Amino acid sequence: MDFSLSTEEREVRDWVRTFVRKEIQPLEQEVLRRERDHRPGLTADELKALQLKAKESGFWGVQTPEEYGGMGLGAVMTALLEVELGRSFVPFRFGGAADNILFQANEEQRQRYLLPTIAGDRKSCFAITEPGAGSDARNIKARAHRDGTDWVINGEKTFITGGNEADFAMVFAVTDEGVTCFLADRAQGWRSEPIDTMGEWGPAALVFEDVRVPQENVLGEVGRGFDLAMAWIGRGRYVLPARALGACERLVGMAIEHANNRVTFGEPIANRQAIQWMLADSAVEIEALRWLVLHASWVVDQGADSRHWQSIAKLYGGVKANEIVDRVLQVHGGMGYTRELPVERWYRELRLLRIYEGTDEIQRRTIARNLLKGHAGVSGTLG
Ligand SMILES: Cc1cc2nc3c(=O)[nH]c(=O)nc-3n(C[C@H](O)[C@H](O)[C@H](O)COP(=O)(O)OP(=O)(O)OC[C@H]3O[C@@H](n4cnc5c(N)ncnc54)[C@H](O)[C@@H]3O)c2cc1C
């Protein structure tokens, strides 16, 4: 039997495709203009309005369990939807979401952190990386010590996505029992400093100086924070390459159009083999990436250990998306290098994929270790 999507999967994908085409893509020129002026592409109110529009059709809390009012979609469905969202660079995401590890909250934390985050009234950030600990996150030095019934946190975090806007951090610090995750409100005293990057959305450095949080703000168990950190990072390494896949589909579509229209030496550049091969190689890689993303997300849905397959999808997606956007820029010539087209913007944004949530080298390390230790083979999971 051929691989195919179910009717439900097609319907969800088609709805998102139409939403992106009708509601998101028309905003692109304005988003580019604002970003050129160093303003956010969408204001918080605009994002909320778009999210509510999607909610009217039931698109709210894509992976949030149904008992919390979400859609509770599985990984394959999520991947399909991310591919569609990836077709635009407008910084849109569906509302009603919360970090996976926040669902480990106890009843009191659920009321104070999880539910308001799902409702969009509170914003979180995930803070493990430090100036001295990135790929080797186990080496973090931020400390938390007990003082009566409180914990006092000291240390510095860096490159924290959403750290400028968050009103609470899921921050990881070393305690006598091991790494522990704390829910730390900004009002409890941590500060953030924006970090300027080559991308449009900058992360933050966070400073914790004697930040005092009560015992009830420990997320999960004392000393078991690293398991939570790994669960957060492992929540969906297929999501990042899925988004990149959508971007690549759109970019190659732009390259095809440009190649057919741009005439040099009396002929469209589409007639040149040099251009054709760039398009052909990109199309092959897009199809390979699609398989890797769907396969990795399918393994997640089976409840099996998906880490090996997710690392493969993330590595391939990061490397190939960067090669593809570079080719697409090349096909556009000087226009590709200008800010009139979004190609250069995608070029800068896609570069991050090779760095965060595990660099290329760390993915290769994981894949090689799995092979060498016999945890995975090269004959795949097809029965
Ligand atoms: C925009 C952005 C957003 C981010 N968001 C978050 C966030 O929300 N929360 C958070 O906690 N962190 C976040 N990060 C941090 C990110 O996860 C780290 O940057 C990443 O893990 C790499 O760590 P590092 O930057 O310290 O690089 P390093 O670990 O210093 O690595 C430098 C280079 O050495 C290579 N290298 C390292 N170790 C090995 C090895 N054993 N073998 C071979 N090569 C190796 C790396 O692959 C890399 O090429 C973000 C980073 C960026 C840039």
Side-chain angles (χ1 to χ4, degrees):
M1 203 173 94
D2 287 341
F3 175 83
S4 67
L5 300 180
S6 68
T7 309
E8 192 195 2
E9 286 166 342
R10 272 177 212 279
E11 281 171 4
V12 169
R13 182 202 58 190
D14 291 349
W15 187 91
V16 181
R17 184 170 289 179
T18 307
F19 183 78
V20 168
R21 200 182 62 238
K22 286 198 174 152
E23 305 288 345
I24 308 288
Q25 288 178 351
L27 306 174
E28 289 183 346
Q29 286 310 314
E30 177 59 20
V31 166
L32 280 183
R33 249 192 307 279
R34 290 181 189 177
E35 288 178 348
R36 262 178 239 136
D37 297 340
H38 304 286
R39 289 184 290 147
L42 289 180
T43 64
D45 286 347
E46 286 168 339
L47 176 61
K48 203 157 199 173
L50 282 169
Q51 289 176 336
L52 289 177
K53 209 173 253 189
K55 191 179 184 183
E56 284 165 16
S57 298
F59 282 79
W60 181 258
V62 170
Q63 289 199 300
T64 301
E66 290 176 42
E67 69 208 79
Y68 290 96
M71 299 172 83
L73 295 186
V76 168
M77 203 85 113
T78 303
L80 292 169
L81 190 147
E82 290 292 337
V83 173
E84 297 307 319
L85 293 180
R87 289 167 152 270
S88 178
F89 53 83
V90 171
F92 171 79
R93 60 189 180 281
F94 291 114
D99 301 83
N100 62 341
I101 60 173
L102 262 191
F103 289 89
Q104 309 266 339
N106 61 32
E107 187 44 41
E108 204 222 335
Q109 293 167 346
R110 217 187 295 266
Q111 298 300 329
R112 282 170 47 214
Y113 296 98
L114 176 63
L115 298 181
T117 303
I118 292 173
D121 297 332
R122 297 202 73 176
K123 287 198 178 79
S124 63
C125 65
F126 169 86
I128 191 161
T129 305
E130 298 181 359
S135 300
D136 52 348
R138 280 184 191 274
N139 198 30
I140 58 169
K141 296 284 184 280
R143 289 274 329 171
H145 69 266
R146 285 182 206 266
D147 186 17
T149 56
D150 289 346
W151 290 90
V152 179
I153 307 172
N154 279 286
E156 198 181 326
K157 298 291 173 183
T158 191
F159 296 133
I160 307 306
T161 301
N164 298 304
E165 302 82 23
D167 68 290
F168 74 96
M170 297 173 290
V171 60
F172 294 81
V174 182
T175 64
D176 289 344
E177 297 85 349
V179 172
T180 300
C181 179
F182 298 91
L183 298 168
D185 292 26
R186 189 184 286 268
Q188 285 162 333
W190 55 266
R191 307 190 304 276
S192 62
E193 278 292 322
I195 299 173
D196 210 6
T197 68
M198 69 190 268
E200 309 306 324
W201 41 277
L206 312 186
V207 179
F208 291 78
E209 269 172 7
D210 290 332
V211 172
R212 185 174 283 272
V213 301
Q215 167 66 26
E216 14 340 334
N217 281 30
V218 170
L219 184 63
E221 287 175 47
V222 173
R224 301 299 300 271
F226 209 76
D227 295 345
L228 286 179
M230 289 301 100
W232 187 90
I233 291 168
R235 75 200 181 288
R237 275 195 169 132
Y238 66 88
V239 168
L240 301 175
R243 276 226 172 204
L245 172 58
C248 290
E249 289 177 355
R250 178 93 184 275
L251 282 160
V252 172
M254 289 172 64
I256 292 169
E257 194 181 335
H258 186 76
N260 279 323
N261 290 329
R262 176 67 174 170
V263 173
T264 66
F265 303 97
E267 276 188 62
I269 58 172
N271 290 355
R272 312 290 173 189
Q273 194 180 54
I275 301 291
Q276 292 169 358
W277 284 24
M278 285 197 266
L279 297 176
D281 287 347
S282 300
V284 170
E285 289 160 7
I286 282 174
E287 290 315 314
L289 178 56
R290 191 186 319 284
W291 166 248
L292 293 181
V293 166
L294 286 173
H295 177 245
S297 53
W298 175 81
V299 179
V300 173
D301 280 343
Q302 304 314 301
D305 187 345
S306 61
R307 288 172 295 181
H308 185 69
W309 309 107
Q310 295 213 52
S311 283
I312 288 179
K314 161 101 178 22
L315 172 64
Y316 190 80
V319 171
K320 290 304 167 187
N322 276 276
E323 288 178 17
I324 290 171
V325 72
D326 187 65
R327 289 186 202 121
V328 169
L329 198 151
Q330 192 68 15
V331 169
H332 281 84
M335 278 307 292
Y337 194 65
T338 69
R339 292 203 157 178
E340 274 181 53
L341 296 180
V343 182
E344 66 81 34
R345 188 198 182 286
W346 256 310
Y347 187 94
R348 289 181 288 113
E349 185 172 308
L350 288 169
R351 188 63 183 82
L352 180 59
L353 190 54
R354 296 185 53 205
I355 297 170
Y356 74 164
E357 299 199 18
T359 62
D360 288 358
E361 292 73 25
I362 295 304
Q363 305 305 338
R364 288 192 175 98
R365 179 172 169 265
T366 304
I367 295 164
R369 275 189 178 177
N370 291 340
L371 294 173
L372 294 167
K373 291 188 172 170
H375 300 319
V378 287
S379 50
T381 52
L382 293 179

